[in-house]
Amino acid sequence: MTFALIGNQNSGKTTLFNQLTGSNQHVGNFPGVTVEKKEGRIRNTKNVTVVDLPGIYSLSPYTAEEVVTRDFLLNTHPDGIINILDATNIERNLYLTLQLIELNIPMVVALNMMDEVTASGGSIDIQTLEEKLGVDVVPISANKNQGVTELVSRAIKVAEQKKLPEKLDFCSGEVHRAIHAVAHLIEDHAQAIHMPLRFAATKLVEGDQPTIDALKINQNELETLRHITDEMEASVEMDREAALADMRYTYIEKLSKSAVHKAGETKEQLRSVQIDKVLTHKYLSIPIFLTIMSFVFWLTFGVIGPFFGDILTFFISYITNATDQLLTNIGMSKTMHSLIIDGVFAGVGSVLSFLPVILVLFCFLSLLEDSGYMARVAFVMDKLLRKIGLSGRSFVPMLIGFGCSVPAIMSARTLSSERDRKMTIMLTPFMSCSAKLPIYAVFTAAFFPKNGALVMILLYILGMTVAILYGLLLKKTLFRGNPVPFIMELPAYRFPSWKSISLHIWGKAKDFIYRAFTVIFIATIIIWVLQSFDFRFNPVSNSEGSMLAAIGSTISPIFAPLGFGDWRASTALITGLIAKEAVVSTLAVLTGVGDPAALTPVLAHLFSTLSAFSFLCFTLLYMPCIAAYSAIRREFGSTLESFCAMIIQTGIAWLVAFFVFRIGILLGLG
Ligand code: GDP
Ligand code: MG
């Protein structure tokens, strides 16, 4: 048995999904977090699955997420729909409910966030609501796990009995006449493809092209259809879409008058309005955002991160030394010893020690996101992003890009226009992803011990600046035209739940550790082999004669003008394409030091302070790792286009690093 979980964005779908299935999907107080559908089995049931679908406001396919959800409903024929509503915004949420009812699929309405409604002194008359909607309604609070068991048993019952929503006639007057006339006209078409009649008729009146195609309406019928809708438009003096929206809202208004007793705005909504006066203030909003972010960075890289990082480094070097001792004692062969200590321990260890910094940063970011603040930033950023030809919507992928480009690129799917989508995908990799943090941390510790946090902030700003300039260029050349208008609902400010944050952080930690022991592990072994042998697989005493040196030396001239012509630097950049953390592990393996702290004196041989900075600029900007590249390729749907995008991006990185280095020399910093 399969249930589709459907609701507006930010209505608590994912929270409910996690409660139902016991899984740990990312919950965010931020519209547009769920892009793909996710399936899970409901706990304590046999073979009942639930599918978490992207949030939508209507069944008209304007954006990619609406298409995903609508296709799922129409083509997969789930056994039931669980329609989740945000009870604090019940009118707007019911708009979708009315459309879902037309689908003629067994359905239960889950009235979520009832805790907030009751806390503010409001109430909702469930029985009246059930009567007027003709479906079961269950009040719940997903994040407090209240009413969820009841919801499950009701949903299963409704699906088992195949209890269809009662036939509701919420249309009236001219619109009513039009819908029924159209229904009559296309009855056999709808039956032929098993499309619910009422849904088909409404969509045709709306002029929905996919439905017209799906139903194979012929020219004659199309004429009749046009005639019916023209007449309707003329007599209600509204265009067809407005007429239908008006019809639904009139019904909802009547319905909520009799069933919903609001105690004015909820406490959370009132509080949000107050907070928003400051945080989205015309002039203050951006300085506040920058201040908050600087504070977060300072705490992460200056205070908390290093503290835990040092502790972890201590443990790692302790274990490394102990293993080293053990291997010596049992007389392990020299080659194997070197592989384990200089290869694996050095590489994996050097990456692992950055776990704390990353977790601390993500703790802060998810705090900001869960509280609802980041949605405001997107709103504030809309004006700025418009200047480079994007809308506030693009802020979401870019923000996720600070974590990892792969989900960021995928989340760009929520953008409704192809132009906005492609442009966003091309700019997102310039947002410095978290895998680059270990690189920054190693280099700032070695070359900018006093100004580490400042250099990091500079790098992040550089990434954004380059993205802005690139965006301007794209807007003038490849992507002329205007971004779509920005509509994003601002969620109420909420106290972030520790559960959600710890899930988020745990997810990151798992991911990072997993990468350290898989991708990085394999990369370090390969690097070690390439570095320890020559092309005839004779062990080399000095890595200068190794295969790796030969490969690195071939491409190193490209980087010589940027100040880092050493073959080890260029090799690290190549392995960085596997995963960015590999830059650090490669340097650790190549220089034969495991402890990142011990990297400092060694790096001083390869880089000057200036060339270290230009190296950082290059790593910040050059093409993303293979995983991100394949995500881009998938979204672009074209190898050529995505490949060109990568070449251009790496070219930009080269130019920026070149200018940084040359200007530095002119200023006498070299
Ligand atoms: P989705 O976009 O529909 O998947 O919504 P999410 O599951 O990501 O939740 C959106 C926000 O609503 C998060 O901040 C949740 O913590 C919050 N939330 C979810 N359910 C409830 C609830 O029952 N009560 C309250 N007060 N907040 C909730
Ligand atoms: Mg979600």
Side-chain angles (χ1 to χ4, degrees), residues 241-291:
E241 288 188 43
L244 284 176
D246 182 66
M247 161 197 95
R248 292 194 187 108
Y249 275 122
T250 314
Y251 188 79
I252 291 171
E253 215 172 283
K254 253 195 353 237
L255 172 71
S256 64
K257 230 181 229 146
S258 58
V260 181
H261 307 286
K262 271 201 185 161
E265 309 226 276
T266 66
K267 235 181 23 223
E268 284 77 6
Q269 284 164 339
L270 283 177
R271 189 179 61 201
S272 294
V273 172
Q274 292 301 324
I275 301 177
D276 271 341
K277 275 193 188 142
V278 183
L279 293 188
T280 58
H281 186 271
K282 205 164 151 202
Y283 302 112
L284 292 180
S285 54
I286 290 182
I288 290 178
F289 174 61
L290 293 178
T291 314

Side-chain angles (χ1 to χ4, degrees), residues 10-15 27-29 112-113 115-116 141-143:
N10 231 32
S11 56
K13 285 180 304 304
T14 306
T15 313
V27 174
N29 195 5
N112 193 28
M113 317 238 179
D115 54 328
E116 285 189 10
S141 173
N143 67 355

Side-chain angles (χ1 to χ4, degrees), residues 127-139:
Q127 229 159 7
T128 314
L129 206 58
E130 281 187 331
E131 274 165 28
K132 300 259 156 117
L133 287 175
V135 293
D136 285 23
V137 179
V138 185

